[in-house]
């Protein structure tokens, strides 16, 4: 039993951190462009840090997440039963790997990066490492509910693996490395994924990481830009890409990202008498539509960041001037009304309005999702058995269709054009809408 949750000190992040590898390995100039810029902790990141600490304490002490329900975490929040149930899935996954390998479990293992990135004091921290006789397992806990992350191809966990191998001198003893990512709050198969690499593949990736790190240092404007200090990052060292830009703290002001989105906005357009019009029909754009779709995620990322940056500037009292003048902060729609004192409100309804209970209260049966969650809390491992009889009296709407990346692991759905799905206005021109 854990008597109290440990207060984990904040660790200094490496300049070329494993968690930021998707950014700096793709866009080397972003490291220098974002120098000195930090992003404030979000409620999601604070919650994630809290539950990483809880997971580490449970693994180190051999306890289950249920044992710490109600405990106060580092942020001041308390461990909830619902989140403890999610966390238990991760604990079970780690322990399953330990048992399968009869291996040695290392929790919150510091992985030195000097031999990989050249950063002398740089290191990353892996959530769970299991060292077996011939296999190494490296696990990463993601506690968010956002986009599922797949282990295959994920740079961060592979860099952790290389750091562990270097630290414990395992290159000649380990045959394979298994990485896994656990996202317990994303239900179903998308919540867990793993990938196995050979030592040869890890060595090739190590060389790739080292080359990327050297490129980051080579494009430092304070050192080697054309042999003199320039104080600026060249556009040629900035490579906007959706994955790289997602968590970049300077995407709102990045000149390369602005150029990419700007170029995409005018693709296929021409200026006539000061008015921007498109010259191609919608059906004639098929060959360019895929290229445009490739940029939608990147454009949305940039636009969201710009809006957030403008709001920050205005809240700080600084002007942001557009073509029509200064942007301003205004009040939106007010929040929902709530009772300050429900007992007093109920008394007034009864005494003054003479309302009955049927008029003052509404009752609604819990949803199937809420019932399933309740069964997990009440019956633990027998929850599926208890919830099973309800399956025949549950209906669920069909999943909506959506456009996905070619790299999305979900299978494509079959579409029969003869079934009535047609372009109703194939010859519509965009200028007709202006």
């Amino acid at each position: 039993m854990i008597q109290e949750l440990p207060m984990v000190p904040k660790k200094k992040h490496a300049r070329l951190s494993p968690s930021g590898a998707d950014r700096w390995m793709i866009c080397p100039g972003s490291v220098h462009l974002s120098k000195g810029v930090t992003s404030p902790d979000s409620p999601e990141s604070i919650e994630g840090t809290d539950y990483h600490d809880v997971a580490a304490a449970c693994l180190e002490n051999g306890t289950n997440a249920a044992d710490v329900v109600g405990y106060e975490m580092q942020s001041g929040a308390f461990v909830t039963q619902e989140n403890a149930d999610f966390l238990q899935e991760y604990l079970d996954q780690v322990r399953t790997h330990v048992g399968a390998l009869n291996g040695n479990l290392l929790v919150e293992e510091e992985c030195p990066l000097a031999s990989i990135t050249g950063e002398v004091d740089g290191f990353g921290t892996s959530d769970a490492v299991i060292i077996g006789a011939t296999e190494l397992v490296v696990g990463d806990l993601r506690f968010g509910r956002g986009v599922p992350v797949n282990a295959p191809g994920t740079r961060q966990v592979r860099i952790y693996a290389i750091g562990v191998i270097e630290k414990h001198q395992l290159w000649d003893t380990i045959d394979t490395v298994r990485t896994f990512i656990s996202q317990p709050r994303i239900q179903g198969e998308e919540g867990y994924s793993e990938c196995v690499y050979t030592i040869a593949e890890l060595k090739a990736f190590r060389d790739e990481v080292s080359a990327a790190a050297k490129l980051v240092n080579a494009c430092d404007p304070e050192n080697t830009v054309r042999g003199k200090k320039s104080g600026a990052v060249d556009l040629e060292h900035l490579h906007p890409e959706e994955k790289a830009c997602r968590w970049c703290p300077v995407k709102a002001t990045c000149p390369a990202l602005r150029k990419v989105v700007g170029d995409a906005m005018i693709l296929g357009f021409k200026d006539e008498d000061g008015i921007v019009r498109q010259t191609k029909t919608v059906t004639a754009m098929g060959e360019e539509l895929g290229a445009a779709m490739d940029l939608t995620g990147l454009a949305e990322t940039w636009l969201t960041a710009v809006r957030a940056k403008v709001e920050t500037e205005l809240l700080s009292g600084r002007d942001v001037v557009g073509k029509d003048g200064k942007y301003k902060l205004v009040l939106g729609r007010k929040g929902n009304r709530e009772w300050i004192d429900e007992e007093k409100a109920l008394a007034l309804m009864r005494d003054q309005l003479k309302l009955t209970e049927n008029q003052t209260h509404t009752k609604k049966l819990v949803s199937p999702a809420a019932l399933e969650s309740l069964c997990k809390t009440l019956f633990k491992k027998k929850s599926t058995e208890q919830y099973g009889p309800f399956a025949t009296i549950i209906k669920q709407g069909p999943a909506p269709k959506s456009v996905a990346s070619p790299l999305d692991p979900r299978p494509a759905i079959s579409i029969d054009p003869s079934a009535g799905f047609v372009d109703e206005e194939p010859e519509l021109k965009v200028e007709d809408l202006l």
Side-chain angles (χ1 to χ4, degrees):
M1 184 68 179
I2 300 173
Q3 298 303 314
E4 63 178 77
L5 293 177
M7 296 294 288
V8 180
K10 282 194 172 183
K11 298 177 180 178
K12 181 181 178 181
H13 278 282
R15 177 168 163 269
L16 302 183
S17 66
S19 61
D22 279 341
R23 176 166 62 91
W24 59 262
M25 287 185 66
I26 294 172
C27 184
S30 66
V31 176
H32 308 293
L33 193 67
S34 60
K35 187 176 181 180
V37 179
T38 57
S39 299
D41 291 334
S42 66
E44 292 78 15
S45 66
I46 293 172
E47 181 184 52
T49 299
D50 274 345
Y51 280 97
H52 269 78
D53 294 345
V54 175
C58 288
L59 289 174
E60 289 175 341
N61 290 275
T63 57
N64 291 321
D67 297 329
V68 292
V69 171
Y71 277 63
E72 184 175 4
M73 296 178 286
Q74 192 160 324
S75 70
F78 295 90
V79 179
T80 67
Q81 179 64 61
E82 180 185 22
N83 284 339
D85 290 341
F86 288 130
L87 203 61
Q88 188 61 44
E89 293 183 30
Y90 165 71
L91 299 179
D92 291 342
Q93 290 158 357
V94 172
R95 289 165 179 164
T96 297
H97 283 295
V98 174
L101 293 182
N102 190 26
N104 180 32
L105 172 64
L106 305 175
V107 181
E108 293 292 301
E109 176 71 353
E110 288 192 2
C111 311
L113 304 176
S115 63
I116 313 169
T117 65
E119 190 173 354
V120 177
D121 297 324
F123 65 88
T125 305
S126 179
D127 297 331
V129 172
I130 303 106
I131 302 177
T134 59
E135 182 171 275
L136 173 71
V137 176
V138 179
D140 191 44
L141 171 62
R142 307 286 180 100
F143 206 67
R145 298 179 186 268
V147 179
V149 179
N150 293 308
T154 299
R155 294 177 174 89
Q156 178 179 355
V157 191
R158 281 185 287 169
I159 294 176
Y160 287 149
I162 294 170
V164 171
I165 293 174
E166 295 275 3
K167 179 178 181 179
H168 296 279
Q169 300 181 358
L170 301 175
W171 288 115
D172 296 328
T173 59
I174 297 297
D175 295 329
T176 56
V177 174
R178 186 181 304 273
T179 65
F180 76 85
I181 293 178
S182 176
Q183 290 179 279
R185 293 206 291 181
I186 294 180
Q187 297 298 294
E189 295 181 359
E190 293 183 325
Y192 176 87
S193 64
E194 62 178 49
C195 187
V196 178
Y197 299 94
T198 65
I199 288 298
E201 290 172 328
L202 261 293
K203 286 183 176 179
F205 180 67
R206 177 189 59 183
D207 295 341
E208 182 184 333
V209 175
S210 296
K214 289 178 181 177
L215 187 56
V216 170
N217 294 324
C219 70
D220 186 344
E222 296 301 318
N223 295 325
T224 57
V225 174
R226 296 185 178 90
K228 62 179 181 179
K229 294 184 178 181
S230 68
V233 178
D234 283 358
L235 283 178
E236 64 184 83
H237 298 138
L238 298 170
H239 307 300
E241 192 266 352
E242 187 174 354
K243 183 180 287 188
C245 295
R246 181 174 297 162
W247 303 115
C248 181
V250 291
K251 56 179 173 283
T253 55
C254 174
L257 178 54
R258 182 171 64 246
K259 184 177 186 304
V260 167
V261 176
D263 289 347
M265 294 281 287
I266 63 173
L267 182 66
F269 288 72
K270 70 176 183 179
D271 192 342
E272 295 179 357
D273 303 324
I275 300 176
V276 177
R277 293 189 177 91
Q278 188 174 22
T279 60
K280 298 181 180 180
T281 63
V282 173
T283 52
M285 291 181 62
E287 61 187 35
E288 296 178 356
L289 198 54
M293 188 63 195
D294 289 342
L295 292 170
T296 55
L298 189 62
E300 289 165 357
T301 296
W302 178 67
L303 293 171
T304 300
V306 169
R307 186 174 293 276
K309 181 65 174 177
V310 169
E311 183 175 320
T312 299
E313 292 296 294
L314 295 180
L315 286 171
S316 300
R318 292 185 285 270
D319 290 338
V320 177
V321 183
K323 64 182 179 60
D324 296 321
K326 295 180 182 178
Y327 281 90
K328 58 186 177 181
L329 290 174
V330 297
L331 293 177
R333 188 175 181 179
K334 290 185 177 181
N336 295 331
R337 292 172 292 175
E338 298 178 2
W339 297 116
I340 297 175
D341 187 333
E342 289 191 357
E343 292 185 3
K344 184 175 181 179
L346 180 58
L348 287 172
M349 291 179 196
R350 288 173 175 171
D351 298 340
Q352 292 194 13
L353 304 181
K354 310 299 182 185
L355 299 181
T356 65
E357 184 175 354
N358 287 338
Q359 293 172 313
T360 59
H361 291 78
T362 59
K363 293 182 179 180
K364 185 178 180 180
L365 196 63
V366 295
S367 68
L371 178 63
E372 183 178 24
S373 178
L374 183 61
C375 285
K376 287 182 178 180
T377 301
L378 295 176
F379 305 110
K380 308 297 181 184
K381 293 183 178 180
K382 293 185 178 181
S383 62
T384 301
E385 177 184 340
Q386 298 294 333
Y387 182 72
F390 294 91
T392 59
I393 54 174
I394 293 174
K395 67 177 182 179
Q396 187 172 21
K401 301 179 183 68
S402 63
V403 178
S405 162
L407 301 178
D408 191 294
R410 293 171 295 180
I413 60 176
S414 298
I415 297 294
D416 181 7
S418 64
F421 186 80
V422 296
D423 189 343
E424 296 180 352
E425 297 179 298
E427 296 303 322
L428 178 66
K429 295 183 179 180
V430 174
E431 53 261 42
D432 294 334
L433 304 177
L434 299 178

